[in-house]
Amino acid sequence: MKLKIGCISGDGIGPEIVREAKKVLEKTAGKYGHEISWTEILLGGASIDVHGVPLTPEVVQAAKESDAVLMGSIGGDANTSPWYQLPPDRRPEAGLLAIRRELGLFANLRPAVLYEELADACPLKKETSEAGFDLLIMRELTGGLYFGERRTTVENGLRTAVDTLVYNENEIRRIAVKAFDIARKRRGKVTSVDKANVLDSSRLWRAVVNEVAADYPDVELSHMLVDNCAMQLVKDPAQFDVILTENMFGDILSDEASMVTGSIGMLSSASLNDTKFGLYEPSHGSAPDIAGKNIANPIATILSAAMMLRYSFDLDKEADDMEQAVKQVLKEGFRTADIMPEGAAASCRKCSCSEMGDRIAERI
Ligand code: NAD
């Protein structure tokens, strides 16, 4: 198969971690007889340095012509980087928001996986962390409260603010379909999270999700109120497979879910539109404090690349292979500095970003 991949190395540690993900992807492609063509794309600070703006129309076009885009992360240190002297719409993050909009990315996927070998980093009770968990939050990204009408007025001398939470049934249906499709590739369970005891938008959400579920008799659907879900994520995260939810609930729950894994350098993510196209990137930022030192953890980016194979190319076996290689290297004790705690077992060995990439590629 020919894979046409756009590549945004980005800023800070971006080029270092993307280099390792490309290494592992190339090894995987070679093993299974696929051919990757890469298009390098400038976004964020790297684009400002060359073009004076964080995103150019040529870049949007190049991304659209790719089957999928792999990204490091963008942005710099807001206190010291000259990029943050620019007006807000010319700063690195403006480029990211604009490209997400241009590509129509409405579904954000954030897996939270607790690896047995890293259970000590999990802040949950020992019996919970020992059981491990592997869940995925699917968050609607382009509707709801963050995109509804808003205003602040003064009424009878009182400052009053209004935000509106709007969803139409098409917006709910398209993300529900994605969630059920993805659950089929996992353990076949969807938990739809809402606040249907209070909100009309949640009652519509629940009704439409039920309609979509009728086409997926092989997927088990349950509904959960968002306040309960926030509790269940720390009490018993292993009960979840795919959590499907609207924009603001997903914003909060996905941060909660990722933090219970305890390892920011391990967390992958993807944003999808209604084709097979996706933008795949680690959940963390560009970590300017450690950039250029070859000590960043490339695993979140490598796992994002595995998601790309699974969701944009339907190459599940290849994606499994990459994920297994990561597990194997962790099992053998290799750790970048961020996942090597004080007093780590004697069997653990600290390694650099590039060595971690080499080890994982060797296990493919
Ligand atoms: P950050 O995620 O970059 O860093 C937070 C802490 O985690 C830092 O101590 C960093 O060294 C560490 N860290 C992050 N990734 C790591 C990795 N792979 N290996 C080892 N340690 C890692 O968050 P921040 O410092 O708040 O933001 C830095 C910049 O990143 C800002 O410009 C911000 O806007 C940007 N950012 C970009 C994205 C994106 O591109 N999608 C997302 C979040 C933040």
Side-chain angles (χ1 to χ4, degrees):
M1 185 176 189
K2 285 197 170 15
L3 319 181
K4 216 173 153 204
I5 304 178
C7 178
I8 301 171
S9 293
D11 308 318
I13 58 170
E16 299 163 56
I17 53 182
V18 166
R19 194 176 306 125
E20 302 316 310
K22 285 175 80 171
K23 192 186 278 175
V24 179
L25 263 179
E26 283 291 358
K27 182 77 188 294
T28 310
K31 175 173 169 183
Y32 291 91
H34 305 302
E35 196 185 313
I36 304 180
S37 71
W38 296 98
T39 306
E40 297 297 326
I41 296 178
L42 285 183
L43 184 80
S47 173
I48 295 173
D49 289 346
V50 176
H51 301 295
V53 288
L55 176 71
T56 59
E58 291 72 32
V59 159
V60 174
Q61 193 52 32
K64 284 183 177 168
E65 284 169 9
S66 308
D67 300 322
V69 171
L70 177 68
M71 186 171 110
S73 35
I74 55 121
D77 183 331
N79 295 318
T80 56
S81 165
W83 299 328
Y84 295 90
Q85 305 300 319
L86 296 166
D89 64 340
R90 302 263 301 274
R91 293 180 190 170
E93 289 72 16
L96 184 56
L97 291 178
I99 200 166
R100 283 184 178 147
R101 193 174 50 241
E102 289 283 346
L103 296 170
L105 304 171
F106 66 83
N108 181 243
L109 273 62
R110 275 182 47 185
V113 182
L114 182 63
Y115 292 92
E116 209 183 310
E117 294 75 17
L118 303 180
D120 284 348
C122 173
L124 303 181
K125 278 193 197 147
K126 205 167 168 46
E127 61 266 29
T128 312
S129 60
E130 273 172 3
F133 54 87
D134 177 355
L135 61 90
L136 184 148
I137 303 218
M138 177 168 287
R139 162 190 173 193
E140 205 288 330
L141 210 52
T142 57
L145 204 56
Y146 299 169
F147 290 87
E149 246 182 72
R150 66 177 62 104
R151 64 180 179 280
T152 304
T153 52
V154 178
E155 288 170 22
N156 302 325
L158 277 184
R159 284 175 298 161
T160 305
V162 179
D163 294 287
T164 42
L165 201 177
V166 184
Y167 272 109
N168 68 44
E169 58 181 309
N170 290 342
E171 291 169 318
I172 303 169
R173 188 167 293 110
R174 66 182 182 176
I175 188 150
V177 166
K178 284 267 180 217
F180 281 91
D181 283 343
I182 281 171
R184 273 186 173 159
K185 283 179 174 274
R186 294 175 48 95
R187 300 193 304 281
K189 254 177 87 173
V190 171
T191 307
S192 176
V193 171
D194 60 37
K195 190 71 183 167
N197 54 342
V198 179
L199 301 174
D200 262 25
S201 55
S202 281
R203 284 190 273 272
L204 179 64
W205 183 278
R206 202 176 270 217
V208 175
V209 171
N210 280 333
E211 287 162 24
V212 172
D215 294 332
Y216 295 84
D218 51 321
V219 176
E220 183 190 326
L221 169 67
S222 59
H223 299 278
M224 190 178 278
L225 296 176
V226 62
D227 38 352
N228 185 23
C229 184
M231 288 193 291
Q232 294 299 328
L233 274 172
V234 289
K235 192 170 165 228
D236 178 20
Q239 70 183 285
F240 296 112
D241 180 15
V242 175
I243 293 178
L244 163 66
T245 193
E246 61 96 59
N247 201 345
M248 183 179 63
F249 298 159
D251 188 8
I252 299 166
L253 293 176
S254 58
D255 267 16
E256 183 190 0
S258 56
M259 280 306 105
V260 295
T261 68
S263 311
I264 194 174
M266 303 287 300
L267 300 167
S268 54
S269 89
S271 301
L272 311 178
N273 65 17
D274 51 10
T275 68
K276 281 279 176 190
F277 180 89
L279 175 70
Y280 298 83
E281 56 176 318
S283 293
H284 58 73
S286 59
D289 53 332
I290 57 167
K293 296 181 178 165
N294 195 23
I295 58 171
N297 186 349
I299 293 180
T301 318
I302 292 169
L303 292 173
S304 303
M307 286 177 87
M308 170 192 290
L309 294 185
R310 193 181 302 285
Y311 298 125
S312 282
F313 298 105
D314 282 322
L315 296 173
D316 291 13
K317 193 153 46 86
E318 290 81 342
D320 287 346
D321 204 342
M322 284 177 69
E323 289 167 0
Q324 279 308 321
V326 168
K327 281 190 189 146
Q328 180 61 29
V329 166
L330 292 175
K331 206 176 206 166
E332 289 167 18
F334 292 101
R335 302 280 187 273
T336 43
D338 58 309
I339 50 172
M340 177 96 181
E342 294 267 317
S347 54
C348 290
R349 189 164 86 63
K350 201 190 265 189
C351 67
S352 65
C353 178
S354 52
E355 186 183 357
M356 182 59 96
D358 287 341
R359 299 286 175 196
I360 295 169
E362 280 164 14
R363 303 297 176 275
I364 296 291

